[in-house]
Amino acid sequence: MQKLIIGTRGSVLALWQAHHIKDRLCAQYPHIEVELQIVKTKGDKILDVPLSKIGGKGLFTKELEELLLKDSIHLAVHSLKDVPVEFVDGLGLAAITEREDVRDAFLSEKYQSLQDLPLGAHVGTTSLRRTMQINALRSDLDCQSLRGNVQTRLRKLKEGVFDAIILAQAGINRLGIQNEVAHIVPLDFMIPAMGQAALGIECKTNSAVVELVGFLNDTKTVFETTCERAFVHTLNGGCQVPIGVYARFLQGSLEVNAILGLPDGTEILRESLKVSVSSEEDCREAGIKLAQSFLKQGAQAILQKAQEWKF
């Protein structure tokens, strides 16, 4: 193969991610030309509606997948948390990269922490998962939908539209914006989204690209995210539902923490699991086992209510 075309969204963070993969490919294969093709997805075009209300799966991946199927691009770089748990026939993940910091972070120009926010403070977030966990801790806060790229969200914070916003710490680190806001505090209590802080490389399953990008795979992250994606898949959940799950692989053991509930924090299921694992299949089974425990406790009814939520 003489040339690789990487499909990517056009936000600053998406481009950072795509350039990161491009640089690694160029270093590994100096004889192969690598270029980027920017694609606007449905999730990028509709910015005045909360993600949970747009509907459908693959809000940030569908257009890229269509180009993959037509061979207009050879691989697509995604934030793994945006990748649906089910793939279009013929497509799949060829690699999952090493994770950055998995935590969510609190950002504010005036207040030092979530606990310091005044009653009724406006908190901006795109995520029902984050809203649920914030409301469970402080139901007095006013969580509001915050769409747009990182720069748009920061601008709204600085203009005083929000008292605080919640972003992924990984994005903050990757863009080097740690000094652009007065107070940035990682939220250790909050369980992240499946696949958070990892990048997923998608391509045709029968493509030579699968072997080419194999060196990008990080075994630890593959084990963790395989479990997380199996958990969400078993619950029939998507990227825009209030589910948090984080698996941590260390010395042959997988520790999984998961949460789901209503966005207002009134009905919540939370559970942990620790098992010995030695393969991806072990990790997948751990995710399924934990999800089945949630289902026995009424998870499906809670998720159904959550999908009807007005946010």
Side-chain angles (χ1 to χ4, degrees), residues 75-94:
L75 62 149
V77 178
H78 307 293
S79 292
L80 188 58
K81 68 177 181 179
D82 293 331
V83 178
V85 291
E86 293 180 339
F87 289 94
V88 176
D89 285 346
L91 299 180
L93 286 172

Side-chain angles (χ1 to χ4, degrees), residues 219-241:
T219 300
K220 179 178 185 293
T221 306
V222 169
F223 275 22
E224 293 171 352
T225 57
T226 295
C227 173
E228 293 164 12
R229 289 172 63 80
F231 175 82
V232 173
H233 184 262
T234 304
L235 290 171
N236 196 29
C239 307
Q240 311 306 330
V241 293

